[in-house]
Amino acid sequence: SAPALSTMAASHCIACAPRNGIMTQIKRQCDLVRESLTWLNDLANEVLEHREDKKEVLKIWRNNIFGAVEADPEKALARGEALIKAGVKGLRVYSPEPGTGTVKTVQRLKKEFGNDIEIFAGQVVDTFQARELEDAGADALYVGIGGGGRCITGVRSGSAIDWPDLLWNLRGTISIPVIVQGGASEHIAITLLLGATGIGVSRVVSGGTIESPGGAHYCIDSSNTLFKPYGGEASARTKYLEKKLLPFDIPSFV
């Protein structure tokens, strides 16, 4: 939601408007960006009212709003152009699956927009891919795969949760920042000691709130315990929304 994104941005965190779920629609994602920037302006008027550096701080806040795009050059270009028009200064090329699409997309976006925007890319799975992305012009990288706290991608897919080893091996291999997701927030000191520049967090700011992709439809049992339907990118309904379907409209790899 706009309040969540603007609060993170004003806390000097990168806040990325997602592209999955209902945000698959470019207009919905751009509306979220515009509303978040409006909230930031209101926050600045309230919190920074008497500060001489109000304009400078607000600019930093606004630059923290990113938009996620597909790891597909043409789709990412169309979405990226709309997001930049909506006001973002950074794009995150995001794909949960390894492949060549991420590198090709970074190259295409860099060619189109140059240094006018920051481009973050992930999820990186090895040092070779990291070097390719840096050479393509990425300004920062994301590594990490969900280890089972909420996201069970690693468990269900049989993927090794090896971001600590990868992070260590990236030291001296690349010179751009690395942000770690997938359990790093539970091991902050270790993550930073291994060489991370930042830690990506989704669960604590969205996974358990009424604003998360899981939706506002809570179930309540007799003891008034709340249960929220899972609506992450690997859920059946998100697969339907993104049209990631197998034959006979079966959602792929739920």
Side-chain angles (χ1 to χ4, degrees), residues 1-2 5 17-36 79 82-83 86 241:
S1 69
L5 288 176
R19 59 154 180 80
N20 61 330
I22 59 174
M23 300 302 166
T24 301
Q25 303 171 35
I26 295 177
K27 183 181 183 304
R28 292 293 293 266
Q29 188 185 24
C30 290
D31 286 344
L32 175 60
V33 166
R34 293 189 186 95
E35 189 68 16
S36 299
R79 188 180 292 273
L83 285 166
L241 287 166

Short mmCIF file of all heavy atoms in Angstrom, two decimals, residues 1-2 5 17-36 79 82-83 86 241:
data_model
loop_
_atom_site.label_atom_id
_atom_site.label_comp_id
_atom_site.label_asym_id
_atom_site.label_seq_id
_atom_site.Cartn_x
_atom_site.Cartn_y
_atom_site.Cartn_z
N SER A 1 0.84 -1.19 0.00
CA SER A 1 0.00 0.00 0.00
C SER A 1 0.88 1.24 0.00
O SER A 1 2.06 1.19 0.35
CB SER A 1 -0.91 0.01 1.23
OG SER A 1 -0.14 0.21 2.39
N ALA A 2 0.27 2.38 -0.37
CA ALA A 2 1.01 3.63 -0.39
C ALA A 2 1.55 4.03 0.99
O ALA A 2 2.69 4.47 1.11
CB ALA A 2 0.14 4.74 -0.97
N LEU A 5 4.71 1.79 1.62
CA LEU A 5 5.86 2.14 0.78
C LEU A 5 6.45 3.49 1.18
O LEU A 5 7.67 3.65 1.25
CB LEU A 5 5.45 2.17 -0.69
CG LEU A 5 5.18 0.83 -1.36
CD1 LEU A 5 4.69 1.03 -2.79
CD2 LEU A 5 6.42 -0.05 -1.36
N ALA A 17 7.61 -1.00 -5.45
CA ALA A 17 6.24 -1.33 -5.82
C ALA A 17 6.26 -2.65 -6.59
O ALA A 17 6.91 -2.74 -7.63
CB ALA A 17 5.62 -0.23 -6.67
N PRO A 18 5.57 -3.68 -6.10
CA PRO A 18 5.65 -5.00 -6.72
C PRO A 18 4.96 -5.04 -8.08
O PRO A 18 4.17 -4.16 -8.42
CB PRO A 18 4.93 -5.90 -5.71
CG PRO A 18 3.97 -4.99 -5.03
CD PRO A 18 4.65 -3.67 -4.95
N ARG A 19 5.25 -6.09 -8.83
CA ARG A 19 4.63 -6.25 -10.15
C ARG A 19 3.81 -7.54 -10.21
O ARG A 19 3.35 -7.93 -11.29
CB ARG A 19 5.70 -6.31 -11.25
CG ARG A 19 6.70 -7.44 -11.09
CD ARG A 19 7.30 -7.86 -12.42
NE ARG A 19 8.25 -8.95 -12.28
CZ ARG A 19 7.91 -10.22 -12.14
NH1 ARG A 19 6.64 -10.56 -12.11
NH2 ARG A 19 8.83 -11.16 -12.04
N ASN A 20 3.63 -8.21 -9.09
CA ASN A 20 2.85 -9.45 -9.11
C ASN A 20 1.47 -9.22 -8.51
O ASN A 20 1.17 -8.13 -8.02
CB ASN A 20 3.59 -10.59 -8.38
CG ASN A 20 3.83 -10.26 -6.93
OD1 ASN A 20 3.97 -9.12 -6.54
ND2 ASN A 20 3.88 -11.28 -6.10
N GLY A 21 0.63 -10.25 -8.56
CA GLY A 21 -0.72 -10.11 -8.06
C GLY A 21 -1.50 -9.09 -8.89
O GLY A 21 -1.38 -9.05 -10.12
N ILE A 22 -2.27 -8.24 -8.22
CA ILE A 22 -3.04 -7.24 -8.96
C ILE A 22 -2.14 -6.20 -9.60
O ILE A 22 -2.56 -5.48 -10.52
CB ILE A 22 -4.07 -6.55 -8.05
CG1 ILE A 22 -3.39 -5.86 -6.87
CG2 ILE A 22 -5.11 -7.53 -7.55
CD1 ILE A 22 -4.33 -5.03 -6.03
N MET A 23 -0.88 -6.11 -9.14
CA MET A 23 0.06 -5.15 -9.71
C MET A 23 0.64 -5.63 -11.04
O MET A 23 1.48 -4.98 -11.64
CB MET A 23 1.20 -4.85 -8.73
CG MET A 23 0.73 -4.26 -7.42
SD MET A 23 -0.20 -2.73 -7.65
CE MET A 23 -0.94 -2.56 -6.03
N THR A 24 0.20 -6.80 -11.50
CA THR A 24 0.55 -7.23 -12.86
C THR A 24 0.07 -6.19 -13.86
O THR A 24 0.70 -5.94 -14.88
CB THR A 24 -0.11 -8.59 -13.17
OG1 THR A 24 0.35 -9.54 -12.22
CG2 THR A 24 0.29 -9.08 -14.56
N GLN A 25 -1.05 -5.55 -13.55
CA GLN A 25 -1.57 -4.46 -14.39
C GLN A 25 -0.67 -3.23 -14.19
O GLN A 25 -0.54 -2.71 -13.07
CB GLN A 25 -3.00 -4.13 -14.00
CG GLN A 25 -3.96 -5.30 -14.08
CD GLN A 25 -5.31 -4.97 -13.48
OE1 GLN A 25 -5.78 -3.83 -13.58
NE2 GLN A 25 -5.93 -5.95 -12.83
N ILE A 26 -0.08 -2.77 -15.27
CA ILE A 26 0.86 -1.64 -15.19
C ILE A 26 0.19 -0.41 -14.59
O ILE A 26 0.79 0.30 -13.77
CB ILE A 26 1.44 -1.32 -16.59
CG1 ILE A 26 2.29 -2.49 -17.09
CG2 ILE A 26 2.26 -0.04 -16.55
CD1 ILE A 26 2.84 -2.31 -18.49
N LYS A 27 -1.06 -0.17 -14.95
CA LYS A 27 -1.75 1.02 -14.44
C LYS A 27 -1.88 0.95 -12.92
O LYS A 27 -1.69 1.96 -12.22
CB LYS A 27 -3.13 1.15 -15.07
CG LYS A 27 -3.88 2.39 -14.62
CD LYS A 27 -5.26 2.49 -15.25
CE LYS A 27 -5.96 3.77 -14.84
NZ LYS A 27 -6.07 3.93 -13.37
N ARG A 28 -2.22 -0.23 -12.38
CA ARG A 28 -2.37 -0.37 -10.94
C ARG A 28 -1.04 -0.11 -10.23
O ARG A 28 -0.99 0.55 -9.19
CB ARG A 28 -2.87 -1.78 -10.59
CG ARG A 28 -4.29 -2.09 -11.01
CD ARG A 28 -5.32 -1.26 -10.25
NE ARG A 28 -5.37 -1.61 -8.84
CZ ARG A 28 -6.22 -2.50 -8.32
NH1 ARG A 28 -7.07 -3.14 -9.09
NH2 ARG A 28 -6.22 -2.74 -7.02
N GLN A 29 0.04 -0.64 -10.80
CA GLN A 29 1.35 -0.43 -10.20
C GLN A 29 1.74 1.05 -10.24
O GLN A 29 2.26 1.60 -9.25
CB GLN A 29 2.40 -1.27 -10.93
CG GLN A 29 3.77 -1.28 -10.27
CD GLN A 29 4.80 -2.03 -11.10
OE1 GLN A 29 4.64 -2.18 -12.31
NE2 GLN A 29 5.83 -2.53 -10.45
N CYS A 30 1.49 1.72 -11.36
CA CYS A 30 1.82 3.14 -11.48
C CYS A 30 0.95 3.99 -10.55
O CYS A 30 1.43 4.98 -9.98
CB CYS A 30 1.65 3.59 -12.92
SG CYS A 30 2.91 2.92 -14.04
N ASP A 31 -0.31 3.61 -10.39
CA ASP A 31 -1.18 4.32 -9.44
C ASP A 31 -0.62 4.22 -8.03
O ASP A 31 -0.66 5.19 -7.26
CB ASP A 31 -2.59 3.74 -9.48
CG ASP A 31 -3.36 4.15 -10.73
OD1 ASP A 31 -2.93 5.10 -11.41
OD2 ASP A 31 -4.39 3.51 -11.03
N LEU A 32 -0.11 3.04 -7.68
CA LEU A 32 0.48 2.84 -6.35
C LEU A 32 1.70 3.73 -6.16
O LEU A 32 1.89 4.33 -5.10
CB LEU A 32 0.86 1.37 -6.16
CG LEU A 32 1.59 1.01 -4.86
CD1 LEU A 32 0.74 1.35 -3.64
CD2 LEU A 32 1.97 -0.47 -4.85
N VAL A 33 2.53 3.84 -7.20
CA VAL A 33 3.72 4.69 -7.14
C VAL A 33 3.32 6.16 -6.94
O VAL A 33 3.85 6.86 -6.07
CB VAL A 33 4.56 4.54 -8.42
CG1 VAL A 33 5.60 5.66 -8.53
CG2 VAL A 33 5.26 3.19 -8.45
N ARG A 34 2.36 6.62 -7.74
CA ARG A 34 1.94 8.02 -7.63
C ARG A 34 1.37 8.32 -6.24
O ARG A 34 1.65 9.37 -5.65
CB ARG A 34 0.89 8.34 -8.70
CG ARG A 34 1.43 8.31 -10.13
CD ARG A 34 0.39 8.83 -11.10
NE ARG A 34 0.84 8.67 -12.48
CZ ARG A 34 0.52 7.63 -13.25
NH1 ARG A 34 -0.27 6.67 -12.77
NH2 ARG A 34 0.97 7.55 -14.48
N GLU A 35 0.56 7.40 -5.74
CA GLU A 35 -0.04 7.61 -4.42
C GLU A 35 1.03 7.61 -3.33
O GLU A 35 0.96 8.38 -2.37
CB GLU A 35 -1.08 6.53 -4.14
CG GLU A 35 -1.91 6.76 -2.90
CD GLU A 35 -2.84 7.95 -3.01
OE1 GLU A 35 -3.08 8.44 -4.13
OE2 GLU A 35 -3.31 8.43 -1.95
N SER A 36 2.06 6.74 -3.49
CA SER A 36 3.15 6.69 -2.51
C SER A 36 3.93 7.99 -2.50
O SER A 36 4.33 8.50 -1.44
CB SER A 36 4.08 5.52 -2.83
OG SER A 36 3.40 4.29 -2.77
N ARG A 79 6.88 -1.48 -19.12
CA ARG A 79 6.52 -1.21 -17.72
C ARG A 79 7.43 -0.12 -17.15
O ARG A 79 6.97 0.77 -16.42
CB ARG A 79 6.64 -2.49 -16.89
CG ARG A 79 6.11 -2.36 -15.47
CD ARG A 79 6.26 -3.67 -14.72
NE ARG A 79 5.39 -4.72 -15.22
CZ ARG A 79 4.14 -4.91 -14.81
NH1 ARG A 79 3.61 -4.12 -13.87
NH2 ARG A 79 3.40 -5.88 -15.32
N ALA A 82 6.48 3.43 -18.17
CA ALA A 82 5.31 3.91 -17.43
C ALA A 82 5.65 4.26 -16.00
O ALA A 82 5.18 5.26 -15.45
CB ALA A 82 4.22 2.83 -17.48
N LEU A 83 6.49 3.44 -15.36
CA LEU A 83 6.87 3.69 -13.97
C LEU A 83 7.70 4.97 -13.84
O LEU A 83 7.51 5.75 -12.89
CB LEU A 83 7.66 2.50 -13.42
CG LEU A 83 6.84 1.24 -13.11
CD1 LEU A 83 7.76 0.04 -12.91
CD2 LEU A 83 5.98 1.45 -11.87
N ALA A 86 5.58 7.80 -14.00
CA ALA A 86 4.83 7.94 -12.73
C ALA A 86 5.69 8.56 -11.63
O ALA A 86 5.14 9.01 -10.62
CB ALA A 86 4.31 6.58 -12.29
N LEU A 241 -3.44 -14.68 -11.87
CA LEU A 241 -3.41 -13.26 -12.20
C LEU A 241 -2.30 -12.93 -13.18
O LEU A 241 -2.44 -12.06 -14.04
CB LEU A 241 -3.25 -12.43 -10.92
CG LEU A 241 -4.47 -12.33 -10.01
CD1 LEU A 241 -4.08 -11.77 -8.65
CD2 LEU A 241 -5.54 -11.45 -10.65
#
